[in-house]
Amino acid sequence: ACLKRYKYKGKFEMVYTGPSQVIVRRLSNNERITMRSDNAYEITKINVYNDRYIVAMTASTLLLGDLGHRNKLISEIEWQTTGHEKFFFDNPGVAMVFNAGELTIVEYGHKEPLGLCRTDHVSSHLISVRIDDRDDDPAPKVESLGDEPAAAPAPEELNRKANKKIAFLIDLQTVHIQDLLTNQQVAMISHDSRIDWLELNPSATKLLFRDKRRSLNLFDIATQTRTTLLTLCSYVQWVPRSDVVVAQSRADLCVWYNIDATEKVTMFPIKGDIIDIERTDGKTEIVVDEGLQTTYVALDEALIAFGSAVERRRFERAMDILETLPPSPEAEAMWTTLAHLTLQARRLHIAERCFAALGDVARARYLHKINQIVLYAESKLDVVPGGDYYVVKAKLEILEKNFSQAEQTYLEQGQVEDAMEFWQELHKWEQAIHVAENSGHPEVANLRTNYYQWLIETRQEERAALLKEKEGDPLEAINLYLKGGLPARAALLVQTHNLTSQSELVERIAEALYATNLFEKAGFFFEKLDKNERALDAYRRGHAYRAAVELCRRTQPQLVITLELEWADWLVSIGQLDQAINHFIEAGQYTRAIEAAIESKQWNKAVTIVDNLEPAEAKKFYKQIARHYEATLNYEQAEKYFVKGGLPEECVDMYTKANMWDAAHKIAVSFMAEKDVAMLYMSQAQRLEMQGKYRDAEKLYIVVGQEDQAINMYKKAHKFDDMIRLVTTYHKDLLAETHLHLAQQLEAEGNYKEAEKHYNDGGDWHSSVNMYRAIDQWQEALRVAKQYGGQQASTQVACVWARSVGGEAGINLLMKFGLLEAAVEYSMEIGQFKRAEEICRASLKKKLPDVFLKHAMVLEDEGKFHEAEQEFIKAGSPKDAVDMFIHQQDWENAKRVAESFSPGSVADIWEAQGRLQAQAKNYRGAEELFVRAGKPEEAVKMYRELQMMTDAARVARDHMTDKTANELGNLSKDLTGVQIAVQNGEYVKAIEGLLKKTKDNTSNLDELEEAWEQAVKLAFNHVPERVAEIVRLVAKRFIDIRRFQQSAELYEAIEDYPAAIDAYVQGEMWEQARALSASKAPEFLDNIAELKLAALVARNEWDRVFELARAQGQDVLGKFLAKYATQLVKDDQIAKALAVFVKHGPIAIAENFALYTELARTVLQMSGDSDELEEPYQLLRKMMFKLVANLHEADAPVAHIKEFERFAMIAHLHVLKEVAKINQLGPIVAKITTSLIRYLGTCRPTKLTTRPAWPARRPASATWPSSSSTATSTSPRPWRTTTPACSRTRTSRTATCRTTSRCPSSSTSTRTGASLSAAGCCSLR
């Protein structure tokens, strides 16, 4: 019977036998486990994890069970369910429950949690739990190896305590190892990289962990040491149920059979990746995935079994395993491990075998003797076990080098002789004598005698002397020390026992000391013997100068100074400079005393000595002392010694570094020339600039009036705020342009926020908007437009944004910003009229008619006239619908719409029909319709155009005002004679009547044109013989009234093409003239171009002249360039003439060479201030560079090339000299001036004199070129010369960078001109 039964996932059956008991049965093999609450709580929920682990919940407890465990253990712990628990079953024997940052470890079969830990890293790779429970299972089952039967556990295994540990991460780089039995920290491992895997070995004595750098590390818990096994590890795992490690590094399989010997690693090459380790049926295999196939690598099961045997303390089994292995490094390491373990466990026969296997014969024989003693003790002395026999214990202590413990063991048993014997065997006689003395042994005296004899025989005189010294025999001890080559010890003994009265003995010691280089002690003994010369020699050789000086003061005072100097030199040689100072002073060597004091940092002594010397002798030390005071910030003393040493520049530099500008200026003005001060400040400023100390450099630049240099410095350093600050202070008129220049530079560098700031500060926020538009940052563009341009500007940007997005998204974007009208307009623009209508109906009803109207127009263009009609009517504009039908000549629909919706438009229909009748020459019908429409003036106009003046007068008389009728009547009379003549066939008379009208008697030029054209028509139709005459007359009259096109057309009609071309030219209709000439009279083409150029020259439109001349060829361009330059030279505008040639290029034609020479000589003979001449020389230099390059390309005569190269070199040297002056390069200025002397015949001598190298301060009103400046601009500001001219095109706008000064030789050839150009380019930079 059961309360409830159901199947779980088709794999398990849940049988509720009671509210607190559930039987879980696996359907596949009928395996079952009973989940029962010992507290009789009702089981409310039950789950199965990994098809093995059972989790059941009650109101107050949690039940955990392992269906795969042989004992089917379950645990019930107190637990308040939250519904957020996570369960982990990756570690055998325990379940882990994670909730709210706390991990609870539950061991199956226990009623309380095994432990708790706080961690946020609960991955199965980051937590390792090992349960080795020996206390609870005193007779554990021992697994067999292979097919062998299971053996009984070893005694040591039975006595082992339970071992339960967990390793987890407390952060990504720190491993915490905790003992779950004591809840104490076992180890804390801090790593320098993120850890991604860790695992304890089965016995929880070692931890493997790997970090993100794929470095594999082993941590020994017992010794708290860490070892790196691999630096690149892709796989690692403990072999199940063993301490063997398997890892992969690149293409190598690495196996550590004995993890205690990490250097002993077995490696196999593999071709794939390790995916698993399988250990079944007595064999262990590594599964390797090679891509297309899976291979298996078998491990040495014997080596694996050895580890398990050692772990279980089954030493005999471990030895048997090793006996079967061939010699190898792994086997050797295992024999060593087993030897130490068995020795510690006092399993001596096994230890003997291990040392024998290792080839350690000494230990093996020693252990063999001990084992014999053990057998003797057990068989003869009934000491069981034999290891407790005191002899065995003592010998083992001796083996382990615990000699004191071995002695204690013997003495505890009263075996004094044995204790003395083992000390003697170790040749430790002192310890043996000590034991004998303490024990009152009767052979102590003999033992000492034997010991003394042995020391003498073995030539250990020192120890023998010590023995005699202890026995109170100093003379014998002294003899032994001297015999053993230890005179110092003998000397000490003499002094201790006051034996200096024995001269022979003292002399022997003195000679021995001298021979062994113990000179000071030898000197002492020689002095005792009154051998002062020998004593002094010994003192000097032993550098015992104090004793030597004292000796000389008593016996030879004249040598004291020599000894003091020698003493000082020796102290210097050994680096004791501070002690040498006083000895140099005693020797009278003051200069060397100062050097020693300075080198040893004894500055006070150095200053004291220097102040007492003559200035000439002390001068060389002033700089060093001043530098010391500078380093210690004692600027006043530093200044004193800098000035004393004649180094004011150094003093200024010191104050500059310390930002003490006033003090620096005071020193500079007081001790330096004005020119030197300026040069010093400039060099200091440049040095500070290179060091990044821009504020300090700025102050120096400002002091010498070089504000532009400071501005340029900040620009190069990209410190634009400081640059703007200086421009605001010193060049406020250029502030806006500077902002824009910086904005363009920052924009090109991609620093858009800073670029925006400068655009806005420069008052050009439109460029900010365009910049953001170009990089698709529309939100920023919208923000800037709204902030600086208001709502209208932001609306425009939003519309452009919408167009870039397109479609419905664009409409939604405008709606998002609340721009309803813009959304409607954009909807109509992209043809979404329904969407526009929806928006209008919802929020913008006033805009609805416009939507209908535009929709109607679109439908009309598409030919959907009836649909368009409906939209026009909806828009309240039926007249447009009528006009649409009129345009289509759909009279019925037009009348229908007009009569229904716009009665006033009916007249427009009649008028349109009238025009149609007029075109069909149904003039009477047209007249009737015009009159019906109420527009008789249209009928009159029609008749007047047809020269039907009578009908026009009639209509006017019948339907118009009297005034209009009278005017038309008079006109009719004037034309009646012509009409009558035409009707009578008198065409010549009619023509003459028409030609009587001239500009003298008629002011209406249109009437004149009409009459004259009528005369020409009559001539062509009826008087062909007079056509040419009449056409020429009329054409001439047209020219008189400036109707040039009509005149030219008449000439073309009679094929008088030259006259027609002349008419076009007079009217400056150059394209028509050129087209006619090209098709009918090619011989006049050149004349047209010349006439056009002449006309432009007459109007002084030189830019157009050069543009047209360039199209005609280089010769023509050169001709007009020379003409304009000649005119400028006459007007004394030399610079402008040079600028023209620089801009358009000096053409290499012989006709211009004289002008070029004249220009060059004129400039080179000019006099004036350097600032005034700077621009002409710059322009001349550029012009000559271009001319030389052009001459080379044109293969001009060598003589001309050399002449102009000479001019180019002179101009270049002048420019280079000015640049050197500005940059304070005095020596270069002198060299260039010297070079210019060779050209005295070409340029004025006054130009060759050297002026002061310090440039005059630029006037505050000076400006630098704007973005549209050409080559004729004045010299640009320093901070405006670094940006190359460039242009770039963007979507929706074009931005052109500022034009700055360029190298004039960018397009020169590689000949002589090119080399000059290259040099010029470098100098300008």
Side-chain angles (χ1 to χ4, degrees), residues 50-218:
N50 300 340
D51 292 339
R52 172 176 176 176
Y53 303 101
I54 316 299
V55 177
M57 296 183 181
T58 69
S60 301
T61 61
L62 181 67
L63 285 79
L64 301 166
D66 183 1
L67 187 59
H69 196 278
R70 62 180 181 271
N71 296 328
K72 304 296 186 290
L73 298 176
I74 67 170
S75 297
E76 182 178 11
I77 62 173
E78 293 184 3
W79 191 268
Q80 294 297 324
T81 303
T82 64
H84 300 291
E85 294 87 355
K86 293 182 180 179
F87 299 92
F88 301 92
F89 305 95
D90 302 289
N91 293 279
V94 296
M96 294 185 293
V97 187
F98 181 75
N99 183 37
E102 187 173 74
L103 187 67
T104 303
I105 298 96
V106 181
E107 184 177 3
Y108 298 118
H110 292 72
K111 304 302 182 184
E112 297 293 335
L114 182 58
L116 300 174
C117 59
R118 299 286 301 181
T119 181
D120 292 328
H121 310 285
V122 292
S123 168
S124 60
H125 302 300
L126 302 177
I127 296 178
S128 178
V129 181
R130 291 300 186 186
I131 304 297
D132 187 12
D133 195 346
R134 299 294 180 181
D135 287 343
D136 296 341
D137 189 8
K141 180 180 178 181
V142 180
E143 298 179 4
S144 62
L145 175 63
D147 298 331
E148 297 181 6
E156 295 85 353
E157 185 178 3
L158 295 176
N159 294 330
R160 290 177 60 192
K161 293 183 178 180
N163 187 7
K164 301 178 182 181
K165 292 186 178 69
I166 181 172
F168 61 93
L169 294 183
I170 57 176
D171 60 50
L172 291 175
Q173 294 182 345
T174 307
V175 182
H176 183 89
I177 304 176
Q178 180 176 327
D179 191 328
L180 295 173
L181 292 176
T182 62
N183 202 29
Q184 298 295 318
Q185 173 182 312
V186 176
M188 178 79 72
I189 308 170
S190 296
H191 196 51
D192 59 355
S193 180
R194 180 178 175 181
I195 297 170
D196 66 355
W197 179 90
L198 60 83
E199 188 173 12
L200 290 165
N201 67 333
S203 58
T205 58
K206 292 180 174 57
L207 174 72
L208 279 175
F209 65 92
R210 186 185 65 179
D211 58 27
K212 278 295 182 181
R213 296 177 300 191
R214 294 293 187 260
S215 176
L216 178 62
N217 298 272
L218 173 70

Side-chain angles (χ1 to χ4, degrees), residues 1264-1280:
W1264 65 85
S1266 64
S1267 59
S1268 60
S1269 298
T1270 63
T1272 62
S1273 302
T1274 57
S1275 179
R1277 290 287 172 187
W1279 64 91
R1280 299 300 308 279

Side-chain angles (χ1 to χ4, degrees), residues 809-991:
I811 300 172
N812 294 334
L813 181 65
L814 293 171
M815 293 288 289
K816 173 184 175 182
F817 293 119
L819 303 175
L820 301 180
E821 290 193 16
V824 171
E825 292 291 341
Y826 180 64
S827 300
M828 293 188 293
E829 181 181 326
I830 63 176
Q832 294 195 19
F833 293 98
K834 292 296 181 184
R835 181 75 170 115
E837 183 179 343
E838 291 174 2
I839 297 172
C840 289
R841 291 189 185 280
S843 307
L844 205 65
K845 289 186 171 55
K846 67 177 182 180
K847 192 76 173 174
L848 199 57
D850 292 341
V851 175
F852 291 137
L853 183 60
K854 290 188 178 181
H855 192 192
M857 292 178 179
V858 171
L859 291 171
E860 179 183 356
D861 292 339
E862 295 175 353
K864 300 177 181 179
F865 303 113
H866 290 287
E867 296 177 16
E869 173 195 337
Q870 297 300 321
E871 297 299 320
F872 278 130
I873 293 171
K874 287 182 184 179
S877 183
K879 187 176 184 309
D880 289 326
V882 173
D883 292 340
M884 175 186 69
F885 285 125
I886 289 174
H887 182 69
Q888 300 299 322
Q889 298 183 10
D890 188 348
W891 310 113
E892 292 184 4
N893 284 320
K895 290 178 181 177
R896 173 178 59 77
V897 175
E899 291 171 354
S900 300
F901 301 100
S902 181
S905 300
V906 175
D908 295 336
I909 299 173
W910 289 334
E911 181 183 354
Q913 288 179 323
R915 295 185 187 282
L916 189 63
Q917 292 297 324
Q919 291 176 3
K921 299 185 178 181
N922 183 5
Y923 304 121
R924 289 296 180 182
E927 175 189 336
E928 180 181 353
L929 290 170
F930 284 137
V931 172
R932 189 174 179 183
K935 293 188 176 182
E937 63 272 12
E938 294 294 330
V940 172
K941 182 179 179 182
M942 174 188 69
Y943 283 131
R944 289 184 65 180
E945 290 176 352
L946 296 170
Q947 299 296 320
M948 298 172 67
M949 304 307 298
T950 304
D951 291 324
R954 174 180 56 77
V955 173
R957 184 174 59 251
D958 294 342
H959 303 286
M960 299 179 67
T961 62
D962 294 339
K963 181 179 179 181
T964 306
N966 291 334
E967 291 177 356
L968 289 173
N970 294 333
L971 180 61
S972 176
K973 290 177 183 178
D974 293 338
L975 295 177
T976 299
V978 176
Q979 291 176 342
I980 293 173
V982 171
Q983 293 174 358
N984 295 332
E986 299 176 348
Y987 298 109
V988 175
K989 183 178 179 181
I991 292 170

Side-chain angles (χ1 to χ4, degrees), residues 390 393 404-416 419:
Y390 76 92
K393 289 182 178 181
S404 298
Q405 188 63 39
E407 175 189 328
Q408 187 65 29
T409 301
Y410 279 125
L411 294 178
E412 286 176 355
Q413 299 295 324
Q415 301 298 322
V416 178

